[in-house]
Amino acid sequence: MLTQSEENYLKAIYSLSEDQKEAISTNLLAEKMSTKPSSVTDMVKKLSVKKLISYQKYQGCELTVVGKKRAIQIIRKHRLWEVFLVNNLNFGWDEVHEIAEQLEHIHSSKLTDHLEEYLGFPKVDPHGDPIPNKNGVFEKINKSIALSDVDTAVKGIVVGVEDGSSGFFQFLKRYEIGLGTEIKVVEKFNFDLSVLVLIDGKEISFSSVVANKIFIQIK
Amino acid sequence: MLTQSEENYLKAIYSLSEDQKEAISTNLLAEKMSTKPSSVTDMVKKLSVKKLISYQKYQGCELTVVGKKRAIQIIRKHRLWEVFLVNNLNFGWDEVHEIAEQLEHIHSSKLTDHLEEYLGFPKVDPHGDPIPNKNGVFEKINKSIALSDVDTAVKGIVVGVEDGSSGFFQFLKRYEIGLGTEIKVVEKFNFDLSVLVLIDGKEISFSSVVANKIFIQIK
DNA sequence: ATTATTTTTTAGGCATGTCTAAAAATAGTG
DNA sequence: CACTATTTTTAGACATGCCTAAAAAATAAT
């Protein structure tokens, strides 16, 4: 049985591994976990002993097959709970992350499976992220792209945002941006990497921070 | 913010306080928590500093008003989740205790309140125990009585069982005893405190252990 | 190729929550 | 009342998960 901390590390390593195929460095993981590199070293040693990651001193770490499966199961739980909170308990999609962070650590695969069935086997969570099935299989073909990477004059609809601070969700609410919102990139400014977009007829300038966090699907 | 361990201690002290009005002794609490008296001493000191219990060396402990409120909120969460698991996720009433033990520690009063509303403000959990409302108020007038305390020739229906081992639930299942089952006490034996009962036309003998755990409502 | 810089690890400490063994306080008994 | 038995507390230890500071390894730069 894994501790919550161990589970959170697995999740973080999984998440970082989606962006790069090389091993995850200690510093990067420390940043992701909001902790110190020395703490990370301690933990990766422990996870390595448990065969959940492969780790060589000074060489970073990678999930093993077993570790990856575990990580996906945690993500599965997280996303299913988010669906429940939004669809059934009337939470806003911007309030569910923290609660799901807690719920994802409940140990009972029967609970997860019953919940999934109760929710009608949803394929995506309220942020547009795909939900793995019981066997850890899920559609990775989410061809969404960050606003910062979209070419000028291209438009698409919001299919996801990066999990972030509640401040970010406030921001989205303020501009009435949600799943399905149509956004067109009008102009991109290289000097500060900001992006000028068109939403519902209004021009808005997004800083690079924001542009990196909003994902749209083109066409 | 309380740790899970602190919350479990509060719950245990609350539970023991229902059976006796004197202070809860260290040994009794240790037994309830399946831990050692020395560990209990450490914890009660901590809870005492936090003003959740009153504690004098060698004199046992008692919940303060604040501590009692906290305990009731945890019980509220536990029971609401049990209702959810049984009514919505199709769990048997004998499988939900352990999972609810985990879910009761999720920190979000908004979640609890939304869940309560979603469930339609249930008044009792699947074991027949009353569910405190948002303000910690609940009907204590559960006039149920343990089978061991029922007089001969009296009959009633099962309204609750004491949370116990899964072995006990297996036992109940085996004899097809659940909420609503009618039980009549035929004879009581003082030499071993066993009870002979009539269920669905069949005579069954219950040991005192079992008779202490099954609660029926008379009339 | 030899420094300088950055990354990573080690060493030692701290808080939580548990344990065992021993000491202290309380309760029970002749 | 004194002696024994029980209960409770203290003292010291251990695992987890984190920290800081310093050492070691790897990487970059001159």
Side-chain angles (χ1 to χ4, degrees), chain B residues 12-36:
Chain B
I13 297 167
Y14 180 87
S15 165
L16 292 170
S17 299
E18 284 190 315
D19 303 333
Q20 61 174 70
K21 63 182 231 307
E22 310 88 56
I24 304 304
S25 77
T26 302
N27 266 8
L28 188 62
L29 187 48
E31 170 122 6
K32 181 88 177 180
M33 292 295 299
S34 303
T35 185
K36 304 291 169 188

Side-chain angles (χ1 to χ4, degrees), chain A residues 63-81:
Chain A
L63 291 172
T64 61
V65 172
V66 176
K68 188 173 175 182
K69 274 189 183 165
R70 291 300 201 94
I72 290 173
Q73 285 311 311
I74 300 161
I75 290 164
R76 165 173 158 78
K77 287 193 279 182
H78 182 103
R79 294 180 181 169
L80 282 171
W81 280 117

